[in-house]
Amino acid sequence: MSAASPTRAPINSPRLRRAVTRPHKGSKPRLTIIGAGLSGLTAALYAIADGYDVTVVERGNFVGGRCASEPITVDIDGQSLTAVFDTGATVWTMPSLVDDALAAVGLYARDIDPGFSASPITPTYRAEFATRGGLDVFSNEDMMADELARFGASDSTVAGYRKLRTWLQALFNACFENFMSRSFDRVTDLFTGPGALRDLTALLRLGAFGALEPKIRAFLGDNDLARVFSFQALYAGVPPAKARAVYGCISHMDTSMGVYYPHSPAFGSGIGAVSELLAEAVRRAGGTIDFGVDVTGLKVDEAGFVSAITTATGERPTDAVIATTDLPVVQSWLHDAATSAAGSSSKRRGLRSVVKRTGARRLFPVRFSPSAVVAHGLIPVSETATWPKRHHLISFGEKWNETFEEISSPRHGKLMSDPSLLVTRPAVSAPERIVTDANGVQWEPVSVLAPCPNLQSANLIWSRIGGDYVAKITAELERRGLTGISTKWRVGRIDTPQQWQERDMGVGSPFGLAHLFRQTGPFRPRNFSPKMPKNLTLAGSTTVPGVGVPTVMISGRLAAQRFETP
């Protein structure tokens, strides 16, 4: 893992508004960051570099949030067996962003864990089709071209793939610096900043605002293969047929730049090792991480500053706040703060003033991404020996577009009638994840993800149907060739939209706001708004630049850089 030079990336536009800290005493203003996920930990490192006294508060007892590796205990015929599962994101791209965050405080990964590495997952995915068998996806261009030929693709399709890579690279180059890696105050910011107008012109020329899936199909001339290079739009909460072509940037990160898996002698393997690495860097740089802190609200003073966070055990004074929680949670806190402040006055006008000042009203109507059911369990290694030995396996249903219309309907969602499913096997990359029971039988951790409607889209009682639905999708996977998964796989935990909502994820979706055109770039909720308190910024999946492992890290940097340097 190469480290960047310990310098900070500049804010692209000098015209951006700046958050200001609450008037404070002492040499360093106190910054409280709510949430110890990747966005919060990244924000902490950049804020420490800027001279803030940083405390990260986390409701749970571990770091990582939606990018964590957790032990899960599974019952194996009356015997309890515990294994480590990656319970959130499993696709890690652009590991250089970790280097950048560490470099902000003058550290390298080797300073914290000399053995830390980011190993490419090769192949990145295995795609399985109902009628055509399997296709491995490689980030190396020549290897992918050879695999397409083996799969039976025509010479024109292979040539189209090479042209597609060139197009995706150009799209990423035009998008990353000025649109994915910056904050916005207004729509006109699209045209400002070094090279912004040039990049916007390039995006228009590349057809970035047309539909993604038809654009990719035009390169490949093959409906099935178009899925392989467009399904990544689902990470952004939009069906590929409706996603803007600009989200080919996600496909480029996956299929060209490559997917990585972290290995760490100090923190173990898996995406959780990245969070642990960043957390240790925060501590070494002088920051504090407090676990078991359940934030229940924000206290806003008459000058429009957050003066304290309120918790289940009392208030914690602060001079500034970065909140990584989902937008509805922050809005509910601000509404409660406004109501509380107005409680000291009987005048309705005073209440309206406080509500307006704190931004308690909705910034605009928002739509969340579809959700997912994720089941984690153990299966005997003797069963998985016949499976394709791949870290990520995507089993595509035949009714591709129809099923994603089913789960993404705003009000009339339903379960996929022909599901497309993701099977994750971390032990393929980290054999130490395999555990052995008292009888000497080896068990492999396997996770299955099934996209589904969020709670606003479909009124499904997951406490009743969750187990049956997992049984249904595993029976389908068995039918598609994963022998033993419906009978020998022992499930230890099922996460459904109900569980996601209980963890304060908007309408039960772990994927944040959908990247509709009206919720993209300058139209997405800002990380700092004049409607919010003067010393509060946002990071995470419901602000710019959006959902996903690289993007939420960028959001943490952007949120921290909104503050004035003390």
Side-chain angles (χ1 to χ4, degrees):
M1 189 174 180
S2 60
S5 58
T7 57
R8 295 191 59 198
I11 298 177
N12 289 329
S13 174
R15 298 174 59 242
L16 287 175
R17 299 185 183 94
R18 296 290 190 272
V20 294
T21 54
R22 180 171 169 268
H24 63 280
K25 298 178 181 179
S27 58
K28 286 186 176 182
R30 298 164 297 181
L31 170 64
T32 301
I33 298 177
I34 303 172
L38 287 183
S39 60
L41 296 171
T42 302
L45 290 171
Y46 283 100
I48 291 170
D50 260 348
Y52 283 86
D53 181 2
V54 173
T55 298
V56 182
V57 295
E58 167 59 45
R59 180 169 58 181
N61 59 3
F62 58 88
V63 298
R66 303 176 211 196
C67 294
S69 300
E70 300 179 62
I72 294 176
T73 299
V74 182
D75 179 74
I76 308 292
D77 300 324
Q79 178 186 165
S80 294
L81 204 57
T82 300
V84 176
F85 293 80
D86 298 319
T87 55
T90 64
V91 176
W92 180 33
T93 58
M94 297 189 69
S96 60
L97 294 180
V98 175
D99 294 325
D100 294 341
L102 297 175
V105 293
L107 291 172
Y108 297 89
R110 64 176 178 266
D111 297 329
I112 300 167
D113 180 2
F116 187 90
S117 65
S119 303
I121 295 178
T122 305
T124 302
Y125 301 102
R126 172 79 171 180
E128 292 280 350
F129 300 97
T131 60
R132 297 177 68 178
L135 170 79
D136 285 328
V137 180
F138 295 93
S139 58
N140 178 277
E141 180 176 350
D142 291 334
M143 291 175 68
M144 189 68 238
D146 290 343
E147 177 66 4
L148 288 169
R150 183 207 61 77
F151 187 67
S154 65
D155 290 345
S156 62
T157 294
V158 174
Y161 159 70
R162 294 187 186 277
K163 292 177 182 177
L164 172 62
R165 280 185 66 105
T166 300
W167 178 77
L168 290 172
Q169 179 70 67
L171 194 72
F172 182 83
N173 291 345
C175 187
F176 185 76
E177 185 64 30
N178 275 301
F179 304 105
M180 287 178 64
S181 296
R182 61 177 293 187
S183 300
F184 294 93
D185 274 341
R186 55 191 72 81
V187 175
T188 54
D189 287 343
L190 281 169
F191 312 101
T192 62
L197 187 58
R198 175 203 62 210
D199 288 344
L200 182 60
T201 302
L203 288 174
L204 291 169
R205 187 178 64 252
L206 291 164
F209 303 107
L212 174 63
E213 194 173 57
K215 182 74 174 179
I216 290 180
R217 192 185 306 118
F219 281 103
L220 299 173
D222 186 301
N223 288 338
D224 286 341
L225 294 179
R227 297 181 190 181
V228 174
F229 295 94
S230 63
F231 82 87
Q232 294 84 359
L234 294 170
Y235 297 159
V238 185
K242 293 185 175 181
R244 298 302 91 197
V246 69
Y247 288 109
C249 289
I250 308 175
S251 176
H252 174 70
M253 289 187 283
D254 266 16
T255 64
S256 298
M257 299 176 72
V259 172
Y260 293 81
Y261 195 71
H263 296 271
S264 170
F267 308 118
S269 63
I271 191 66
V274 176
S275 304
E276 294 285 359
L277 185 79
L278 294 174
E280 182 58 25
V282 169
R283 296 184 186 100
R284 293 194 185 191
T288 302
I289 302 175
D290 290 345
F291 295 105
V293 179
D294 186 5
V295 177
T296 58
L298 302 172
K299 183 176 181 181
V300 181
D301 64 22
E302 294 182 358
F305 289 95
V306 177
S307 59
I309 63 168
T310 59
T311 74
T313 58
E315 293 184 357
R316 288 187 171 215
T318 190
D319 299 313
V321 175
I322 295 176
T324 70
T325 46
D326 277 3
L327 182 61
V329 175
V330 179
Q331 289 175 327
S332 69
W333 289 342
L334 292 175
H335 181 273
D336 291 346
T339 303
S340 174
S344 61
S345 171
S346 60
K347 296 181 180 179
R348 292 176 59 87
R349 184 171 55 186
L351 173 60
R352 289 196 298 268
S353 173
V354 175
V355 170
K356 180 178 180 180
R357 184 171 68 241
T358 60
R361 297 175 299 180
R362 295 174 68 91
L363 301 182
F364 52 78
V366 294
R367 185 188 298 179
F368 276 81
S369 301
S371 187
V373 173
V374 186
H376 307 283
L378 295 171
I379 187 169
V381 169
S382 58
E383 297 293 333
T384 59
T386 62
W387 299 6
K389 193 176 182 180
R390 301 293 183 265
H391 191 123
H392 292 111
L393 184 147
I394 303 170
S395 178
F396 286 111
E398 292 185 73
K399 299 177 182 178
W400 175 246
N401 288 327
E402 296 93 324
T403 53
F404 287 106
E405 285 294 329
E406 290 169 348
I407 66 168
S408 61
S409 170
R411 296 290 179 184
H412 305 288
K414 54 186 177 181
L415 298 176
M416 291 185 290
S417 56
D418 182 21
S420 290
L421 305 164
L422 172 66
V423 179
T424 304
R425 299 174 58 195
V428 171
S429 299
E432 67 272 15
R433 289 284 187 94
I434 293 173
V435 293
T436 305
D437 67 16
N439 299 318
V441 178
Q442 291 187 314
W443 295 78
E444 178 183 349
V446 171
S447 301
V448 176
L449 182 150
C452 69
N454 62 43
L455 295 177
Q456 189 176 59
S457 173
N459 185 25
L460 299 171
I461 310 302
W462 284 103
S463 59
R464 297 180 183 174
I465 70 171
D468 289 341
Y469 185 59
V470 169
K472 180 179 178 179
I473 61 178
T474 52
E476 179 63 23
L477 287 170
E478 179 102 25
R479 188 186 70 80
R480 296 179 187 180
L482 295 188
T483 56
I485 193 167
S486 66
T487 57
K488 301 297 180 68
W489 187 45
R490 301 289 186 265
V491 176
R493 179 170 128 186
I494 301 174
D495 290 327
T496 71
Q498 184 174 328
Q499 275 77 45
W500 304 127
Q501 186 181 53
E502 289 169 359
R503 298 173 207 169
D504 288 335
M505 299 179 197
V507 299
S509 173
F511 303 114
L513 298 185
H515 283 258
L516 308 172
F517 181 76
R518 64 180 174 85
Q519 293 181 170
T520 296
F523 307 109
R524 202 166 179 83
R526 303 169 191 169
N527 51 18
F528 176 61
S529 168
K531 294 181 180 181
M532 294 193 301
K534 303 172 184 178
N535 59 340
L536 169 66
T537 65
L538 307 179
S541 296
T542 51
T543 185
V544 291
V547 69
V549 176
T551 36
V552 294
M553 290 193 68
I554 294 169
S555 80
R557 171 177 64 82
L558 295 177
Q561 291 180 337
R562 277 287 198 167
F563 283 106
E564 297 278 5
T565 302

